[in-house]
């Protein structure tokens, strides 16, 4: 099984002794990015063996990690394409149309129950699909009523009977849609989350959260509804939602005003009344016209332990203890140097970019993306942070990533990058961390980078 | 281009004010006053800039579809905050306060008081407000900028009053009485005073940001959808409406229906505004009362006629009881025709003029017209 080396076995485990190396990059090399190729979601499955990406063209590409080879036991296996399928059909030719309705917004893997893998994908046309990805490496031969090419034989010509046998064939990976959950959302879906009961999942749009059963497609239950009676009074929307990793009755949802509400489904059918509300009071020294916008939470993720949750707003990452609602226990500045540029970022819409964040397997390090193809890691134990860049220039196999520095003051040291030369079109919105190992997947606009820590 | 027009005016004043501020400092009032002057100017300039940007964002057609509700809500909230601030400041304008304002952080939104030398400053911003054309948008999401009748800034005006534009046309006294708290308004949440060094750094950083920004976008990008600019002159207590033909349809039919569907549009609002945005341009400015009953007390209100000139008025039953679910429909009495559109148009007006009379030169109107038409 891939990923034998567990995080807990490594000394330290934090970023103090970890050296990150380039492993692979997937995607086109040219700079001219087709809109349809823009990666919109990245997700490891529960073992880390599979890595799924979705793009704006509605395609899902799944990579599988090769088993560790016996020749090089110290090397982790590479990720290679395992399956590719079109999850959602575009309504128009995406090269010509103005609407890109087929963009995959989120992919979530289901825990594996049998040989097949299942994942949920959602897209902007407000449907959710359950896909079964199964392998086929045998095929039956020797039918009585059918020729080998599938044509039916004339029954009169059948003179003997035989039992069909299974013969090996080249591995074929099939993806088939097993369920389509539709017609429950009026607004764009921003989140899906599988419950720890493995039977239900939630889907959230701007104003509502619905609860589904994986087996039932024609009915969902609305559990949160913040739509005001008068849409003119709308001032807040839901931005993300997630189930608790262990407690199947608990979920959280974040808002555009920087609040997170924790709800208990046992309390009532409609969870408009929150059980807890997490909100940090505004820092009066940092008040500006853009305070509300930069407080809007773009992602919320529970820790694997279930004790903490992490939120990402425009400038920072915050770690919350579920037992304390008044303020986060940790706050990490992702790119504080942008605070003085908020007006420009508002004008060019960058201030509305939705960055995601993720935990490592043992919740000791968190990661999130930034601009200029930078991504940041924050080690909670060692109180260190580091900035790396995902670029083709650093893509020699196993080359160690060099930490980057951004110069904010007047003097720019060598190798530092000044804030004014940052490329705001190169944004890393989606990152994922292998659940059991130090392997990370980082998506630039249309490329997927895989980095891993250096082994000895 | 519209943005540039706004800035030009401000810059003139800004130079004047900065000059005055510097003079004051030279006169011995100290650097503090100059700093305050600059910071106030900078704050107001940035606020106005952000206001303009926000309007452009909301009402210009995005080349790529997929409108984001969150983005619109956030921009709307921004506009509302600035509008509220301007409203409160605008109501303070007539009062000349002693020239010793608290040296608040210029970024403090609670900053209200203005020394006399800066009394002028609020004028351009106030003047510019109605100059910004308010779009009757096809999707009700825009309507948040038009307060629902309930949302009259805490006043107790009954719904009836909202339905009667006469209340809007009343003099300032009546309006400001229920629209703004009594001046001088203490800052809502007075923040701690920022040390002057922090003030300077913030000032310089914010000014730097502004100077580095290039707001000029090619006119072709600025498809200002709103076809209507609503202005008021206090003296005549009439409403002059300038309209411009929409350079292109506000949104493609599929786009607007999609918006409406996505927004969960209220059918009546959609019904009202979609026809208003038919590609036919509203060129007829001269008021022609479209409904005799509404023109009774709306004699000065040419807005209604112009906005909905191309609406098939036969769909409006003059019986107030049949008006579809409009707020305050029950308040109808006296043969109010077109309750829904009247309310919405009034809301537009109410928001964007902040119940203050403004004088706008005809020349400036012409200029705005030209900008909107894109000539």
């Amino acid at each position: 099984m891939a990923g034998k080396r567990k995080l807990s076995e490594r000394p330290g485990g934090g970023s103090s002794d970890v050296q990150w190396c380039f492993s692979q990059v997937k995607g086109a090399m040219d700079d001219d990015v087709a809109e349809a190729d823009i990666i919109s979601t990245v997700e490891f499955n529960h073992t880390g063996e599979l890595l799924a990406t979705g793009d704006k063209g509605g395609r899902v590409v799944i990579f599988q990690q090769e088993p560790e080879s016996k020749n090089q036991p110290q090397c982790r296996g590479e990720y290679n394409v395992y399956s590719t399928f079109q999850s959602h059909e575009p309504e128009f030719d995406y090269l010509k149309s103005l609407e890109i309705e087929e963009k995959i917004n989120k992919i979530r893997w289901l825990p594996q129950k049998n040989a097949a893998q299942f994942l949920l994908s959602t897209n902007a046309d407000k449907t959710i699909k359950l896909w079964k990805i199964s392998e086929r490496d045998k095929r039956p031969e020797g039918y009585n009523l059918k020729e080998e090419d599938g044509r039916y034989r004339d029954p009169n010509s059948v003179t003997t009977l035989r039992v069909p046998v299974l013969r090996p064939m080249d591995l074929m990976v099939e993806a088939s849609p097993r369920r389509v959950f539709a017609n429950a959302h009026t607004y764009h879906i921003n989140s899906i989350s599988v419950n720890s009961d493995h039977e239900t999942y939630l889907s959230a749009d701007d104003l509502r959260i619905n609860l589904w059963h994986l087996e039932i497609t024609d009915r969902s239950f609305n559990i949160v509804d913040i739509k005001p009676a008068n849409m003119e009074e709308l001032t807040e929307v839901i931005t993300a939602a997630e189930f608790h990793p262990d407690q199947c009755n608990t979920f959280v949802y974040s808002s555009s005003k920087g609040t997170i509400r924790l709800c208990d489904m046992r309390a009532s059918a409609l969870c408009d009344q929150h059980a807890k509300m997490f909100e940090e009071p505004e820092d009066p020294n940092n008040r500006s016209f853009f305070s509300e916008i930069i407080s809007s939470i773009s992602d919320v993720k529970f820790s694997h332990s279930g004790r903490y949750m992490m939120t990402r707003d425009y400038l920072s990452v915050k770690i919350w203890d579920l037992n304390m609602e008044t303020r986060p226990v940790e706050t990490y500045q992702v790119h504080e140097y942008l605070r003085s540029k908020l007006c420009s970022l508002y004008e060019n819409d960058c201030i509305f970019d939705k960055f995601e964040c993720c935990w490592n397997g043992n919740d000791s390090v968190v990661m999130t993306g930034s601009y200029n193809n930078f991504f940041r890691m924050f080690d909670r134990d060692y109180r260190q942070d580091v900035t790396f860049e995902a670029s083709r220039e650093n893509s020699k196999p196993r080359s160690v990533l060099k930490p980057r520095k951004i110069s904010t003051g007047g003097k720019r040291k060598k190798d530092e990058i000044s804030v004014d030369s940052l490329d705001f079109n190169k944004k890393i919105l989606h990152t994922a961390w292998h659940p059991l190992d130090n392997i990370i997947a980082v998506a630039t606009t249309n490329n997927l980078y895989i980095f891993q820590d250096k082994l000895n | 281009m519209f943005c540039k027009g706004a800035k030009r005016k401000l810059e003139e004043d800004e130079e004047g004010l900065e000059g005055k501020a510097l003079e004051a400092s030279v006169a011995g009032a100290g650097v503090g006053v100059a700093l305050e002057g600059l910071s106030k100017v900078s704050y107001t300039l940035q606020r106005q800039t952000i206001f303009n940007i926000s309007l452009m964002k909301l009402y210009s057609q995005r080349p790529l579809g997929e409108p984001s509700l969150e983005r619109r809500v956030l921009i709307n909230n921004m506009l509302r905050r600035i509008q509220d601030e301007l409203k409160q400041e605008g109501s303070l304008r007539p009062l000349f306060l002693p020239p010793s304002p608290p040296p608040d952080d210029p970024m403090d939104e609670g900053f209200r008081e203005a020394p006399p030398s800066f009394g002028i400053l609020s004028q351009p911003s106030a003047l510019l407000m109605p100059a910004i054309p308010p779009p009757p948008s096809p999707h009700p999401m825009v309507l948040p900028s038009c307060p629902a009748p309930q949302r009259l800034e805490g006043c107790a005006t009954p719904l009836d009053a909202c339905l009667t534009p006469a209340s809007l046309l009343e003099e300032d006294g009546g309006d400001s009485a229920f629209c703004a708290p009594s001046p001088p308004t203490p800052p809502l949440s007075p923040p701690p005073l920022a040390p002057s060094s922090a003030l300077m750094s913030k000032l310089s950083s914010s000014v730097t940001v502004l100077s580095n920004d290039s707001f000029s976008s090619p006119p072709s990008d600025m498809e200002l959808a709103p076809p209507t600019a609503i202005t008021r002159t206090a003296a005549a207590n009439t409403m002059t409406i300038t309209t411009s033909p929409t350079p292109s349809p506000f949104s493609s039919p599929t786009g607007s229906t999609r918006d409406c569907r996505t927004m969960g549009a209220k059918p009546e609002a959609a019904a009202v505004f979609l026809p208003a945005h038919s590609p036919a341009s509203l060129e007829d400015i001269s008021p022609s009362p479209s409904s005799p009953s509404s023109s009774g007390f709306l004699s000065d209100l040419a807005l209604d006629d112009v906005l909905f000139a191309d609406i098939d008025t036969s769909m409006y039953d003059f019986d107030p009881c049949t008006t579809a679910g409009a707020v305050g429909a029950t308040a109808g009495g006296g043969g109010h025709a077109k309750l829904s559109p009247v309310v919405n148009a009034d809301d537009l007006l109410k928001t964007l003029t902040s119940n203050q009379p403004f004088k706008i030169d005809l020349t400036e109107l012409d200029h705005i017209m030209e900008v909107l038409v894109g000539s």
Side-chain angles (χ1 to χ4, degrees):
Chain A
M1 174 173 134
K4 269 196 279 186
R5 195 178 317 276
K6 302 258 191 301
L7 271 180
S8 52
E9 294 166 1
R10 287 179 57 78
S15 59
S16 61
D17 57 347
V18 171
Q19 280 190 305
W20 288 96
C21 309
F22 170 83
S23 174
Q24 296 170 269
V25 61
K26 310 280 186 194
M29 285 197 52
D30 51 355
D31 290 330
D32 199 17
V33 179
E35 180 82 20
D37 293 336
I38 295 177
I39 299 173
S40 51
T41 184
V42 181
E43 191 80 5
F44 280 101
N45 76 335
H46 294 275
T47 62
E49 182 196 358
L50 298 176
L51 175 61
T53 62
D55 65 24
K56 284 201 170 180
R59 283 172 306 217
V60 175
V61 180
I62 302 177
F63 302 93
Q64 183 190 40
Q65 191 180 30
E66 300 298 325
E68 283 184 9
S69 71
K70 299 178 184 61
N71 298 338
Q72 292 175 303
Q74 297 296 331
C75 256
R76 295 184 186 86
E78 278 197 343
Y79 282 86
N80 295 319
V81 176
Y82 178 66
S83 172
T84 305
F85 56 93
Q86 186 80 24
S87 171
H88 290 76
E89 290 298 328
E91 290 185 9
F92 318 102
D93 177 3
Y94 54 72
L95 290 174
K96 294 180 204 150
S97 81
L98 300 180
E99 308 268 355
I100 306 189
E101 291 285 353
E102 61 276 10
K103 169 181 143 190
I104 304 285
N105 277 336
K106 283 287 184 306
I107 289 176
R108 290 288 184 264
W109 290 94
L110 267 56
Q112 190 175 12
K113 280 193 224 178
N114 50 37
Q117 302 277 358
F118 288 85
L119 64 80
L120 285 172
S121 76
T122 175
N123 86 327
D125 74 358
K126 307 165 192 110
T127 62
I128 303 146
K129 291 188 184 175
L130 177 69
W131 290 86
K132 175 178 175 184
I133 295 109
S134 50
E135 293 182 1
R136 189 193 294 215
D137 59 358
K138 298 179 187 46
R139 69 159 191 270
E141 273 182 17
Y143 282 107
N144 289 296
L145 297 175
K146 277 198 290 189
E147 303 285 357
E148 290 304 324
D149 58 9
R151 282 179 304 143
Y152 280 96
R153 295 164 74 176
D154 177 10
N156 298 325
S157 67
V158 178
T159 53
T160 60
L161 284 179
R162 55 185 174 167
V163 177
V165 293
L166 291 173
R167 300 225 186 276
M169 60 181 258
D170 291 337
L171 178 66
M172 194 167 74
V173 180
E174 292 174 323
S176 55
R178 307 301 283 184
R179 309 265 187 278
V180 178
F181 306 90
N183 300 325
H185 285 284
T186 316
Y187 304 96
H188 291 164
I189 299 175
N190 53 53
S191 310
I192 45 173
S193 177
V194 184
N195 203 347
S196 50
D197 63 9
H198 301 169
E199 286 186 355
T200 57
Y201 73 95
L202 64 76
S203 59
D205 66 27
D206 293 314
L207 297 178
R208 296 191 179 94
I209 301 181
N210 293 332
L211 180 71
W212 302 82
H213 192 283
L214 284 165
E215 299 293 325
I216 300 170
T217 59
D218 59 354
R219 201 181 338 139
S220 73
F221 294 100
N222 177 241
I223 51 178
V224 172
D225 189 342
I226 64 167
K227 182 172 186 231
N230 186 357
M231 276 295 275
E232 298 169 7
E233 294 167 0
L234 180 66
T235 57
E236 191 174 9
V237 300
I238 297 171
T239 52
E242 200 183 43
F243 265 119
H244 191 277
D246 306 318
Q247 298 165 14
C248 56
N249 54 285
T250 305
F251 66 94
V252 294
Y253 69 93
S254 59
S255 83
S256 56
K257 288 199 172 175
T259 65
I260 309 102
R261 289 173 176 81
L262 184 142
C263 301
D264 187 337
M265 294 198 292
R266 297 170 298 189
S268 63
L270 190 61
C271 298
D272 280 356
Q273 300 295 321
H274 52 265
K276 294 193 185 188
M277 173 138 118
F278 300 82
E279 187 174 14
E280 183 173 26
E282 190 185 2
D283 177 7
N285 293 329
N286 276 335
R287 281 179 75 185
S288 76
F289 288 108
F290 307 101
S291 293
E292 189 198 12
I293 297 182
I294 62 170
S295 75
S296 175
I297 292 173
S298 51
D299 194 15
V300 62
K301 291 266 172 44
F302 278 104
S303 64
H304 292 92
S305 63
R307 169 134 183 243
Y308 298 97
M309 68 177 175
M310 163 167 58
T311 58
R312 174 73 156 98
D313 50 72
Y314 189 63
L315 295 181
S316 67
V317 163
K318 295 180 181 172
I319 313 278
W320 303 79
D321 186 325
L322 292 188
N323 298 317
M324 186 162 79
E325 302 165 58
T326 51
R327 58 182 162 80
V329 289
E330 294 154 35
T331 302
Y332 301 103
Q333 299 301 331
V334 181
H335 34 222
E336 179 71 12
Y337 46 82
L338 295 184
R339 193 180 287 276
S340 58
K341 303 218 171 282
L342 292 178
C343 197
S344 311
L345 296 166
Y346 179 64
E347 203 211 341
N348 63 17
D349 265 4
C350 281
I351 208 174
F352 299 107
D353 287 335
K354 309 236 130 283
F355 292 95
E356 294 175 4
C357 53
C358 60
W359 298 84
N360 74 340
N362 61 10
D363 299 336
S364 61
V365 185
V366 296
M367 172 168 67
T368 188
S370 177
Y371 293 104
N372 209 71
N373 281 348
F374 288 165
F375 59 98
R376 304 259 285 138
M377 289 185 189
F378 302 94
D379 190 320
R380 303 174 59 212
D381 300 332
Y382 290 90
R383 296 290 163 163
Q384 292 171 351
D385 63 89
V386 67
T387 306
F388 292 124
E389 181 179 358
S391 77
R392 295 259 175 187
E393 286 144 14
N394 306 331
S395 6
K396 288 198 265 302
R398 284 187 280 285
S399 63
V400 177
L401 283 180
K402 206 174 84 164
R404 308 307 303 258
K405 279 223 173 307
I406 294 96
S407 79
T408 52
K411 278 194 183 292
R412 186 172 73 88
K413 300 198 192 81
K414 193 175 77 113
D415 288 344
E416 281 189 355
I417 297 181
S418 82
V419 180
D420 296 317
S421 58
L422 294 176
D423 188 343
F424 288 93
N425 290 320
K426 295 188 179 166
K427 45 193 97 169
I428 291 181
L429 303 173
H430 312 286
T431 59
W433 205 308
H434 191 291
L436 302 167
D437 205 345
N438 271 343
I439 305 173
I440 56 175
V442 170
T444 59
T445 308
N446 65 332
N447 287 155
L448 183 72
Y449 287 80
I450 299 174
F451 303 101
Q452 54 195 38
D453 70 343
K454 194 169 165 138
L455 297 175
N456 298 347
Chain B
M1 275 174 64
F2 176 77
C3 218
K4 275 182 193 165
K7 271 203 251 179
R8 259 203 299 267
K9 192 160 175 71
L10 266 181
E11 274 165 356
E12 289 167 25
D13 290 325
E14 181 190 1
E15 284 165 27
L17 287 160
E18 279 180 5
K20 282 186 191 166
L22 289 170
E23 282 172 23
S25 71
V26 164
V31 182
V33 174
L35 275 181
E36 282 158 22
L38 284 174
S39 68
K40 170 67 173 161
V41 165
S42 163
Y43 175 79
T44 313
L45 178 64
Q46 185 174 34
R47 180 176 63 191
Q48 189 62 51
T49 305
I50 294 172
F51 188 85
N52 294 344
I53 295 174
S54 305
L55 274 183
M56 278 171 52
K57 278 186 176 313
L58 267 188
Y59 301 134
S60 67
Q61 179 66 12
R62 283 172 75 79
L64 283 177
E66 226 189 289
S68 160
L69 180 57
E70 179 189 354
R71 181 174 170 273
R72 274 189 294 209
V73 166
L74 289 171
I75 297 173
N76 233 305
N77 292 349
M78 175 83 88
L79 282 171
R80 263 196 247 193
R81 265 201 306 275
I82 297 179
Q83 274 172 2
D84 291 347
E85 223 177 89
L86 285 169
K87 268 188 210 183
Q88 297 199 10
E89 276 186 13
S91 68
L92 288 173
R93 192 162 43 88
L95 299 171
F96 283 75
L97 306 166
S100 56
D104 285 346
D105 190 305
M107 298 310 287
D108 170 22
E109 290 181 2
F111 187 64
R112 298 278 177 263
E113 304 178 25
S117 58
F118 297 101
I120 291 175
L121 187 59
S122 52
Q123 257 185 3
S125 54
L127 278 173
L128 282 164
M129 273 200 50
I132 297 161
S137 161
H139 47 80
M141 196 49 226
V142 172
L143 290 181
S145 65
C146 326
Q150 299 88 328
R151 188 184 161 275
L152 276 178
E153 314 300 341
C155 70
T157 312
L159 293 177
D160 299 20
C162 305
L163 295 179
T164 60
S167 69
L168 288 176
L169 298 176
E170 273 170 9
E171 285 307 324
D172 315 342
D175 289 343
S176 59
F178 55 69
C179 270
S182 57
T185 311
L188 292 173
S189 54
L193 300 178
S196 54
S197 58
L199 197 74
M200 267 306 287
S201 59
K202 277 189 182 167
L203 168 66
S204 57
S205 65
S206 62
V207 170
T208 310
V209 166
L210 289 175
S211 61
N212 284 346
D213 289 348
S214 56
F215 301 113
S216 56
S217 47
S220 58
D221 288 353
M222 262 199 43
E223 296 176 334
L224 276 185
T228 312
I230 304 173
T231 64
R232 283 178 68 184
T233 58
N237 202 20
T238 59
M239 303 231 286
T240 55
I241 293 90
T242 61
T243 61
S244 70
T246 50
S248 61
F250 177 66
S251 51
S252 62
T254 48
S256 63
T257 32
R258 203 180 293 275
D259 275 350
C260 288
R261 179 162 46 96
T262 307
M263 307 298 306
K266 292 191 297 190
E268 58 270 45
V272 164
F273 287 123
L274 277 174
H277 274 82
S278 64
S281 55
L282 308 173
E283 298 203 32
D284 182 10
I285 297 182
S286 61
S288 51
S290 47
S291 66
S293 59
S294 64
S295 65
F297 56 86
L298 290 178
S299 53
D300 296 334
L301 178 59
L303 161 75
D304 193 29
D305 308 321
V306 178
L307 263 186
F308 306 109
D310 60 345
I311 289 183
D312 179 12
T313 56
S314 62
M315 73 188 270
Y316 293 106
D317 194 338
F318 285 4
D319 181 357
C321 299
T322 64
T323 309
V327 277
T330 52
H336 291 193
K338 295 192 277 187
L339 283 175
S340 299
V342 163
V343 167
N344 291 323
D346 293 341
D347 291 339
L348 276 174
L349 177 66
K350 202 170 178 57
T351 307
L352 292 149
T353 59
S354 68
N355 297 316
Q356 290 289 334
F358 299 106
K359 279 193 183 167
I360 294 205
D361 289 341
L362 281 176
T363 49
E364 193 172 324
L365 268 179
D366 285 342
H367 174 69
I368 295 169
M369 276 297 307
E370 282 172 33
V371 169
L372 290 174
V373 172
S375 57

